[in-house]
Every structure is written in structure tokens, then in C-alpha cells.
Coordinates of all heavy atoms in Angstrom, one line a residue:
M490 N 104.2 83.8 304.2 CA 104.3 84.8 305.1 C 105.9 85.2 305.2 O 106.7 84.4 305.5 CB 103.9 84.4 306.5 CG 102.4 83.9 306.6 SD 101.8 83.7 308.2 CE 102.9 82.4 308.7
N491 N 106.1 86.4 304.7 CA 107.5 87.0 304.7 C 107.6 88.2 305.6 O 106.6 88.6 306.1 CB 108.0 87.4 303.3 CG 108.0 86.2 302.3 OD1 108.3 85.2 302.6 ND2 107.5 86.6 301.0
S492 N 108.9 88.5 305.9 CA 109.1 89.6 306.9 C 108.2 89.6 308.1 O 107.6 90.7 308.5 CB 108.9 91.0 306.1 OG 109.7 91.1 304.9
L493 N 108.2 88.4 308.8 CA 107.3 88.2 310.0 C 107.7 89.2 311.1 O 108.9 89.4 311.3 CB 107.3 86.8 310.3 CG 106.5 85.8 309.4 CD1 106.9 84.4 309.6 CD2 105.0 86.0 309.7
K494 N 106.7 89.5 311.8 CA 106.9 90.5 313.0 C 106.3 89.7 314.2 O 105.4 88.9 314.1 CB 106.1 91.7 312.8 CG 106.6 92.6 311.5 CD 105.6 93.8 311.3 CE 106.0 94.5 310.1 NZ 105.1 95.6 309.9
P495 N 106.7 90.1 315.5 CA 106.3 89.5 316.6 C 104.7 89.7 316.7 O 104.1 88.8 317.3 CB 106.9 90.3 317.7 CG 108.2 90.7 317.1 CD 107.9 91.0 315.8
E496 N 104.1 90.7 316.2 CA 102.7 90.9 316.3 C 102.0 90.0 315.3 O 100.7 90.0 315.3 CB 102.3 92.5 315.9 CG 102.9 92.9 314.6 CD 104.2 93.8 315.0 OE1 105.0 93.4 315.7 OE2 104.3 94.9 314.4
D497 N 102.7 89.3 314.5 CA 102.0 88.3 313.7 C 101.7 86.9 314.5 O 101.0 86.1 313.9 CB 102.8 87.9 312.5 CG 102.9 89.0 311.5 OD1 101.9 89.7 311.2 OD2 104.1 89.3 311.0
T498 N 102.2 86.9 315.7 CA 102.0 85.6 316.5 C 100.6 85.5 316.8 O 99.8 86.3 317.4 CB 102.7 85.8 317.9 OG1 104.1 85.9 317.6 CG2 102.5 84.6 318.6
A499 N 100.1 84.2 316.5 CA 98.6 83.8 316.6 C 98.5 82.5 316.1 O 99.3 81.8 315.6 CB 97.8 84.8 315.8
V500 N 97.2 82.0 316.4 CA 96.8 80.8 315.9 C 96.2 81.1 314.5 O 95.3 81.9 314.5 CB 95.8 80.0 316.8 CG1 95.3 78.7 316.1 CG2 96.5 79.5 318.1
Y501 N 96.6 80.5 313.5 CA 96.0 80.8 312.1 C 95.1 79.7 311.7 O 95.4 78.5 311.8 CB 97.3 80.8 311.1 CG 98.1 82.2 311.3 CD1 98.8 82.3 312.3 CD2 97.9 83.0 310.2 CE1 99.5 83.6 312.4 CE2 98.6 84.3 310.3 CZ 99.4 84.5 311.5 OH 100.1 85.7 311.5
Y502 N 93.9 80.1 311.3 CA 92.8 79.2 310.9 C 92.5 79.3 309.5 O 92.4 80.4 308.9 CB 91.6 79.5 311.7 CG 91.7 79.3 313.3 CD1 92.2 80.5 314.1 CD2 91.3 78.0 313.8 CE1 92.2 80.2 315.4 CE2 91.5 77.9 315.2 CZ 91.8 79.0 315.9 OH 92.0 78.8 317.3
C503 N 92.2 78.1 308.8 CA 91.9 78.1 307.5 C 90.4 78.2 307.4 O 89.6 77.5 308.3 CB 92.4 76.9 306.7 SG 92.0 76.7 305.1
N504 N 89.8 78.8 306.4 CA 88.4 79.0 306.2 C 87.9 78.6 304.9 O 88.7 79.0 303.9 CB 87.9 80.5 306.6 CG 86.5 80.8 306.2 OD1 86.3 81.5 305.1 ND2 85.5 80.4 306.9
A505 N 86.8 78.1 304.7 CA 86.2 77.8 303.4 C 84.7 78.1 303.5 O 84.1 77.8 304.3 CB 86.4 76.3 303.0
V506 N 84.3 78.8 302.3 CA 82.9 79.0 302.2 C 82.3 78.1 301.0 O 82.8 78.1 299.9 CB 82.6 80.5 301.9 CG1 81.2 80.9 301.5 CG2 83.3 81.4 302.8
S507 N 81.2 77.5 301.6 CA 80.6 76.5 300.5 C 79.1 76.8 300.3 O 78.5 77.3 301.3 CB 80.7 75.0 301.2 OG 79.9 74.1 300.4
D508 N 78.6 76.5 299.2 CA 77.1 76.6 298.9 C 76.5 75.4 298.6 O 75.5 75.2 297.9 CB 76.9 77.7 297.7 CG 77.4 77.1 296.5 OD1 78.1 76.1 296.4 OD2 77.2 77.9 295.3
E509 N 77.0 74.2 299.2 CA 76.5 73.0 298.9 C 75.0 72.8 299.3 O 74.4 71.9 298.8 CB 77.4 71.9 299.7 CG 77.3 72.0 301.2 CD 78.3 71.2 301.9 OE1 78.4 70.0 301.5 OE2 78.9 71.6 302.9
L510 N 74.5 73.6 300.2 CA 73.1 73.5 300.7 C 72.3 74.6 300.0 O 71.1 74.8 300.4 CB 73.1 73.6 302.2 CG 73.8 72.6 303.0 CD1 73.6 72.7 304.5 CD2 73.2 71.1 302.6
G511 N 72.8 75.4 299.0 CA 72.1 76.4 298.5 C 72.3 77.7 299.0 O 71.7 78.8 298.5
Y512 N 73.1 77.9 300.1 CA 73.4 79.2 300.7 C 74.8 79.0 301.3 O 75.3 77.9 301.5 CB 72.3 79.5 301.8 CG 72.3 78.4 302.9 CD1 72.9 78.4 303.9 CD2 71.2 77.5 302.7 CE1 72.8 77.4 305.0 CE2 71.0 76.5 303.6 CZ 71.8 76.4 304.7 OH 71.6 75.5 305.7
D513 N 75.5 80.1 301.6 CA 76.9 80.1 302.0 C 76.9 79.7 303.4 O 76.2 80.2 304.4 CB 77.4 81.5 301.9 CG 77.8 81.9 300.6 OD1 77.7 81.1 299.6 OD2 78.1 83.1 300.2
I514 N 77.8 78.8 303.7 CA 78.2 78.3 305.1 C 79.7 78.3 305.2 O 80.4 78.0 304.3 CB 77.5 76.9 305.4 CG1 78.0 75.8 304.4 CG2 76.0 77.0 305.5 CD1 77.6 74.4 304.7
D515 N 80.1 78.5 306.5 CA 81.5 78.5 306.7 C 82.1 77.2 307.3 O 81.4 76.7 308.2 CB 81.9 79.7 307.7 CG 81.9 81.0 307.1 OD1 82.2 81.2 305.9 OD2 81.5 82.0 307.8

């Protein structure tokens, strides 16, 4: 993240999509 702005303030969450069960889950 470069050139950060005050409006970038937030909690940032990582997400992964897996098909381990044969369909997409988050």
C-alpha cells in the first residue's frame, strides 16, 4: 500500500476461496 490516504483507514481482512469440499467456500 503506497500513497496512503486517511480514507484508507480500516481493518483489513485476508480472504481465501477453497474448493476442498467440491464447491467454493470462503
Side-chain angles (χ1 to χ4, degrees):
M490 305 186 294
N491 299 326
S492 302
L493 282 162
K494 304 175 181 179
E496 51 261 45
D497 295 318
T498 296
V500 177
Y501 284 69
Y502 297 92
C503 182
N504 166 259
V506 180
S507 169
D508 65 356
E509 62 186 320
L510 300 179
Y512 54 90
D513 286 349
I514 57 175
D515 284 328

